[in-house]
Amino acid sequence: MEFTENLSENRKSAEERASVLANPGFGDFFTDHTAVIDWTADAQGHNGQWHDARIEPYGPISMDPAASVLHYGQEIFEGLKAYRHEDGSVWTFRPHANAARLNKSAARLALPQLDEEAFVESLRKLVAADIDWVPTGDGEALYLRPFMIATEAFLGVRAAREVSYRVIASPAGNYFGGELKPVAIWVSQQYARAGRGGTGSAKCGGNYAASLVAQLEAEEHGCKQVLFLDPFNDNAVEELGGMNVFFVTKDNKLVTPALTGTILEGVTRSSVIQLAKDRGLEVEERKITLDEWRDGVASGDIAEVFACGTAAVITPIGVLKNGEELIGDENAKAGEVTMSIREELLGIQRGTVEDRHGWLERLV
Ligand code: COI
């Protein structure tokens, strides 16, 4: 797909950029440009065309107040990162996996399919325009946020016939801020994240909106994230508000909840599974309940727990707070297996560890 370019005449100054890059945090600062592709359905609303692929200055989106996304939440998104290598080149990690997942989410939310190559090209063009924003620090990257929204002004409840795909970029350090250290997680007892047949495995804004009340509860209890359980399935562990969960057993097995349709098929999750298998670790994707977590920590059968996702990379979990009950240790150190897989993954992404699986794709 051909992109036209309208580069910003109002870029942030080198000083402003340097001050952001000195301490990027997560999600607070945005680069100078955005990638956009629009889609319009045919008269019957069934088929449509992507058109007007472009790079334009970053700025507010002008939208009709009746746009369906504002009323019915017809929206999906992705998250991936661009990594600076030592020679200055910029790479991304498994972009086709994100493109495929975007299309799966699109199918569930009645949004149009986007060609995988157009997806990758949108990242390439945006990162080329904003290359100076790709951080160089340890564990830092340019977070890329592709998303698709229903822009048609129409209040009847049906799939929109006008859609916009966009990508924005934001320099990112540690998702949880500051130095990497084990985080505390709050168990949501009142709210579930998803149900059978729902949108749990799609990456749509609604899933995250529904997690926020529980996330507020977590923060009130000094926790960084919320853990969702399936209350109709023995309190099976599902996922955190924005990341998947892994357990390392004392006999070096990796256990993670199976993909049942209610949890997100994380790209980091599947990469961790592959890296663990490469090291000869046994990996079990299965049901794991809150009781098993509690008993495993008490008996020592569960040696480490960690969260993973593009934003979180791999973050050790110290303690799980279930009301008054504490499972784990608030002052726990990061586990060895956790940190070693994290280092390997970051090394592949930064080009310092061999990319055995061909996961990297050069952007610039
Ligand atoms: C990601 O890890 O990329 C996510 O989308 C999680 C969160 C920031 C929403």
Side-chain angles (χ1 to χ4, degrees), residues 131-359:
I131 183 133
D132 293 340
W133 286 93
V134 183
T136 51
D138 208 25
E140 295 175 356
L142 185 64
Y143 184 78
L144 303 172
R145 169 55 63 87
F147 60 106
M148 202 188 284
I149 53 176
T151 49
E152 187 188 6
F154 179 70
L155 291 184
V157 181
R158 62 148 167 77
R161 294 175 183 174
E162 285 166 30
V163 167
S164 187
Y165 162 82
R166 291 172 176 259
V167 191
I168 55 173
S170 174
N174 180 7
Y175 181 76
F176 294 109
E179 293 292 297
L180 178 80
K181 52 179 198 280
V183 292
I185 304 294
W186 176 251
V187 179
S188 173
Q189 292 176 336
Q190 198 182 346
Y191 306 104
R193 180 182 171 277
R196 303 262 170 253
T199 56
S201 66
K203 204 161 176 64
C204 61
N207 289 342
Y208 295 80
S211 77
L212 297 180
V213 61
Q215 177 68 24
L216 277 179
E217 232 180 59
E219 286 160 19
E220 277 160 20
H221 291 86
C223 295
K224 295 280 191 190
Q225 276 272 299
V226 59
L227 169 73
F228 290 102
L229 303 170
D230 182 348
F232 302 106
N233 186 19
D234 307 322
N235 279 338
V237 171
E238 295 255 288
E239 65 178 82
L240 306 185
M243 37 211 84
N244 296 116
V245 194
F246 276 85
F247 301 85
V248 183
T249 65
K250 73 165 189 266
D251 48 356
N252 269 336
K253 240 188 254 163
L254 241 68
V255 182
T256 194
L259 301 173
T260 53
T262 55
I263 68 171
L264 193 77
E265 197 171 339
V267 177
T268 310
R269 176 188 180 279
S270 85
S271 309
V272 165
I273 289 174
Q274 185 60 56
L275 293 181
K277 287 181 177 167
D278 291 353
R279 298 167 172 224
L281 301 183
E282 203 180 309
V283 180
E284 290 178 357
E285 294 178 68
R286 63 168 169 84
K287 173 171 156 182
I288 175 160
T289 63
L290 180 63
D291 285 345
E292 186 178 347
W293 189 333
R294 177 189 296 111
D295 295 347
V297 168
S299 68
D301 282 346
I302 293 178
E304 304 175 23
V305 191
F306 64 85
C308 73
T310 299
V313 191
I314 289 176
T315 301
I317 294 176
V319 69
L320 184 67
K321 294 191 186 175
N322 180 34
E324 295 296 306
E325 181 191 23
L326 296 186
I327 300 172
D329 177 358
E330 268 186 290
N331 302 310
K333 285 218 184 82
E336 252 176 62
V337 176
T338 302
M339 292 310 284
S340 158
I341 297 180
R342 177 184 158 93
E343 285 315 308
E344 185 178 5
L345 180 64
L346 282 173
I348 294 170
Q349 293 169 335
R350 295 301 293 267
T352 55
V353 169
E354 188 197 350
D355 176 21
R356 297 185 300 275
H357 298 283
W359 283 339

Side-chain angles (χ1 to χ4, degrees), residues 3 34-37 55 78-82 90-99 102 114 116-131 134 142-147 165-169 361-364:
F3 280 73
T34 174
V36 189
I37 318 176
I55 297 296
E78 273 302 317
L80 68 172
K81 285 176 172 168
V90 178
W91 300 69
T92 193
F93 185 73
R94 307 187 68 184
H96 287 275
N98 291 89
L102 182 86
L114 177 68
E116 287 193 13
E117 291 311 323
F119 176 90
V120 178
E121 191 59 10
S122 69
L123 309 179
R124 200 168 267 132
K125 291 285 192 236
L126 179 60
V127 172
D130 285 336
I131 183 133
V134 183
L142 185 64
Y143 184 78
L144 303 172
R145 169 55 63 87
F147 60 106
Y165 162 82
R166 291 172 176 259
V167 191
I168 55 173
E361 193 143 331
R362 187 166 179 172
L363 292 177
V364 186

